[in-house]
């Protein structure tokens, strides 16, 4: 076989080599916390790695649901996530209602942002809404003082549309490469006025901006909905097919940031000792994922029982230590819902 | 909403359980670390004038 048949010029294009998507869980497959939740405040609600970042004016006014309304997803996808406005709220002043993924800085260091060698990125996604018009999209750096704001247009209501946005890398600004936030990929739905909005589009600028002036504010329309899947951010000026990872790979990537063990009605941790005398201490280690983003992760354990002198500590080498100052007699701990939060 | 948990040392003064914050609403154990977003949220809560429950 001629060499040209094996190694074509197309195959030499950078986008065709290796792992491409900087987004984790872009196909919205994993939702360890819940599949539906009220957006009661800023926080991670349903699909892994996607943060709802909202002003308190919008607390408990919307719902976030994996596979909202059981729609047929776009071709080659099985899942999506949807936002629904349950109570309309006027967006006035310096407010915001954002759906975003914060990419860890260690995962974008190769982009060389903040230098003259900054690489171009292409963002692609499938989106659908009950509303039409120009919606806000932003890339922002970790320290939140550099923003690139643009819009994408949804031309037909209730129809999946694929959008592609190409953005030249930022050649200035402070772009960190630690385990904090490196690049925020933001979809704005309520900040088209006030401090967080801008009419300066399609170029990098100073400040934290998450909305294009005059863009759609779905927070103001009761029962409005917005759905997304297939989010991909890749190096280069060309959008390639969505990179579908194996289930296990994607799960592992998600679990660097959040891990949960929950089997309805079953103990995921059970530990019991009987002491003849008070004042004894015990430490037992249970397995947990190694290499989560931070060693100082929060451990949430429910229910726990027997006494107040119990603590849970995560260790990046892959354990949870349970310390207990025991009381005289029977001492036991159990948990049916155990999670470790190392999110950004 | 939050309760303080003291550090525990062994006889050799080694830490066997670090000082941390317990979020009582969901039984979360939050290390005192600037890297931890839950701890940052706790600090904002304190800055707003709230006080945690003292350690036992």
């Amino acid at each position: 076989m001629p060499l040209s048949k094996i190694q074509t010029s197309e195959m030499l294009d950078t986008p065709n080599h290796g792992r491409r998507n900087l987004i984790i869980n872009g196909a919205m497959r994993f939702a360890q916390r819940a599949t539906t939740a009220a957006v009661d405040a800023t926080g991670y609600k349903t699909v892994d790695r996607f943060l709802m970042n909202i002003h308190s004016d919008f607390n408990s006014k919307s719902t976030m649901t994996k596979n909202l309304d059981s729609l047929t997803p776009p071709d080659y996808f099985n899942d999506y996530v949807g936002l629904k406005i349950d109570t309309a709220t006027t967006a006035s002043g310096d407010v915001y209602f954002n759906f975003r993924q914060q990419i860890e800085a260690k995962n974008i260091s190769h982009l060389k942002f903040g230098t003259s060698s900054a690489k171009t990125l292409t963002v692609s996604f499938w989106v659908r809404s009950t509303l039409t018009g120009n919606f806000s999209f932003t890339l922002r750096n970790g320290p939140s003082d550099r923003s690139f704001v643009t819009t994408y247009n949804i031309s037909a209501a209730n129809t999946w549309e694929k959008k592609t946005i190409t953005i030249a890398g930022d050649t200035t600004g402070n772009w960190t490469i630690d385990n904090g936030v490196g690049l925020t990929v933001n979809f704005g739905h309520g900040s088209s006025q006030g401090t967080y909005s801008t009419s300066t589009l399609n170029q990098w600028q100073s400040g934290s901006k998450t909305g294009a002036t005059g863009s759609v504010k779905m927070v103001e329309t009761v029962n409005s909905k917005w759905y997304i899947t297939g989010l991909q951010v890749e190096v280069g000026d060309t959008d390639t097919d969505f990179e579908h990872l194996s289930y296990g790979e994607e799960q592992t990537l998600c679990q660097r940031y959040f891990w949960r063990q929950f089997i309805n009605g079953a103990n995921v941790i059970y530990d019991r000792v009987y002491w003849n005398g008070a004042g004894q201490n015990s430490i037992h280690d249970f397995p947990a994922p190694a290499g989560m983003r931070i060693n100082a992760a929060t451990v949430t354990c429910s229910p726990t029982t027997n006494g107040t002198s119990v603590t849970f500590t995560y260790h990046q080498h892959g354990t949870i230590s349970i310390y207990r100052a025991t009381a005289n007699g029977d001492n036991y701990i159990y948990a049916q819902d155990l999670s470790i939060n190392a999110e950004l | 909403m939050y309760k303080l948990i003291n550090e525990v040392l062994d006889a050799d003064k080694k830490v066997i359980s670090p000082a941390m914050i317990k979020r009582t609403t969901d039984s979360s154990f939050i290390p005192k670390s600037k890297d931890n977003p839950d701890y940052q949220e706790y600090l904002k809560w304190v800055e707003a004038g709230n006080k945690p429950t003292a350690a036992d």
Side-chain angles (χ1 to χ4, degrees), chain A residues 223-234:
Chain A
N223 292 325
S224 61
K225 297 172 185 176
W226 179 86
Y227 316 82
I228 187 170
T229 193
L231 176 60
Q232 181 153 285
V233 177
E234 59 191 307

Side-chain angles (χ1 to χ4, degrees), chain A residues 179 281 283 293-302 304 308-313 323 341-344, chain B residues 3 5 8-9 16-18 20 22-23 26-33 35-39 41 56:
Chain A
N179 66 345
N281 298 322
I283 298 178
R293 185 183 67 86
I294 53 174
N295 194 44
T298 299
V299 179
T300 301
C301 193
S302 179
T304 57
T308 56
S309 299
V310 177
T311 61
F312 293 76
T313 305
Y323 163 80
N341 181 23
E343 264 294 0
L344 286 161
Chain B
K3 181 177 181 178
I5 298 177
V8 179
L9 306 176
I16 55 175
S17 178
M20 59 179 72
K22 184 175 183 180
R23 188 168 58 210
D26 64 353
S27 193
S28 288
F29 295 85
I30 304 170
K32 292 182 173 180
S33 167
D35 290 338
N36 186 303
D38 294 313
Y39 183 59
E41 187 178 318
D56 292 327

